[in-house]
Amino acid sequence: MLTILVAGATTAVASEPVLTEDEVVQVREFFTQWDVPVATQDVLLDGLQEGELWDAYTGATPVRVVTESTAALNRTVTRYADGSVSVNEVEVPTLIPDGAILPRAISGCTQQTNAGVKYATNCRVYHTTGATSAEFYASYSIWSTGASVSNWGKARVLYDLGNVVNARFEQTSAGEIKYKWDSQSLAGTYARNLRLTATPSGVTSGGSY
């Protein structure tokens, strides 16, 4: 768990460094993975240590959003004017033929179709900014005129910029579930959430950090 920070506010003065040396290494690895220049990393990390929030935390308008799909996951990479990045991922289910028994070698996120309804089970939803990260698992059903989510669980805040309290799930509609928590720091308490939304056209995820 990361140490004290202002999260969800505009700017504040940190009473001590927000990130430890190991955490700075972790964040730099994330930035390097997503091609953030070292000079930009320096500015972002220096600002964060002083209590300045990245655009990825403030709800700023992105400058670029790219959606990528592989056999394993659907990923959305969102980039902001200050150089910060957020990454959303939803696991792609392994397709099981209609009527087939699930092979013992296959576990995790799977999908079968019955009477025109696609049933996906136990699929991972994940979001990170490099300094805040969370995940949960859920099932969803999709058909031509609707969608629903179910069986959500195994939620974790992997790391955050404040103390995590009041973690819970909230179903906002038949097709949407949010894993919500509050991040507490000396500057106050700030709401976070990670969502999965299912519609007839597919599923999307997102994080409000």
Side-chain angles (χ1 to χ4, degrees):
M1 194 70 63
L2 301 186
T3 51
I4 299 168
L5 173 73
V6 186
T10 52
T11 304
V13 178
S15 60
E16 60 183 74
V18 171
L19 305 177
T20 67
E21 291 183 6
D22 288 344
E23 290 162 353
V24 169
V25 170
Q26 169 187 290
V27 174
R28 283 195 183 277
E29 288 176 350
F30 170 82
F31 281 150
T32 299
Q33 178 184 359
W34 297 107
D35 300 320
V36 178
V38 173
T40 302
Q41 295 181 28
D42 293 343
V43 171
L44 289 169
L45 286 165
D46 287 348
L48 192 64
Q49 298 288 42
E50 295 300 321
E52 298 175 5
L53 294 179
W54 303 338
D55 288 351
Y57 284 100
T58 64
T61 301
V63 296
R64 188 182 182 197
V65 179
V66 176
T67 299
E68 309 166 346
S69 296
T70 70
L73 55 85
N74 292 320
R75 174 188 292 135
T76 300
V77 180
T78 304
R79 299 182 183 274
Y80 299 89
D82 66 352
S84 59
V85 180
S86 69
V87 179
N88 293 296
E89 295 178 353
V90 179
E91 188 177 6
V92 172
T94 299
L95 300 179
I96 306 300
D98 294 357
I101 297 174
L102 183 65
R104 295 184 65 181
I106 297 177
S107 61
C109 184
T110 59
Q111 178 180 297
Q112 287 187 288
T113 301
N114 183 20
V117 180
K118 297 178 180 178
Y119 298 94
T121 61
N122 196 35
C123 298
R124 181 177 184 250
V125 182
Y126 171 75
H127 179 67
T128 183
T129 62
T132 298
S133 179
E135 68 177 8
F136 66 85
Y137 290 75
S139 301
Y140 55 89
S141 301
I142 295 174
W143 56 97
S144 61
T145 58
S148 64
V149 294
S150 61
N151 298 327
W152 48 83
K154 294 187 288 185
R156 293 192 299 163
V157 178
L158 302 173
Y159 40 89
D160 201 351
L161 302 170
N163 295 322
V164 176
V165 298
N166 197 25
R168 73 277 187 195
F169 279 104
E170 179 180 312
Q171 188 170 18
T172 55
S173 69
E176 184 173 83
I177 187 67
K178 290 183 177 180
Y179 177 53
K180 306 177 76 173
W181 71 96
D182 297 322
S183 179
Q184 290 184 334
S185 72
L186 291 181
T189 300
Y190 303 90
R192 311 244 201 248
N193 74 75
L194 170 60
R195 66 165 177 83
L196 173 69
T197 304
T199 69
S201 59
V203 294
T204 60
S205 71
S208 176
Y209 288 179

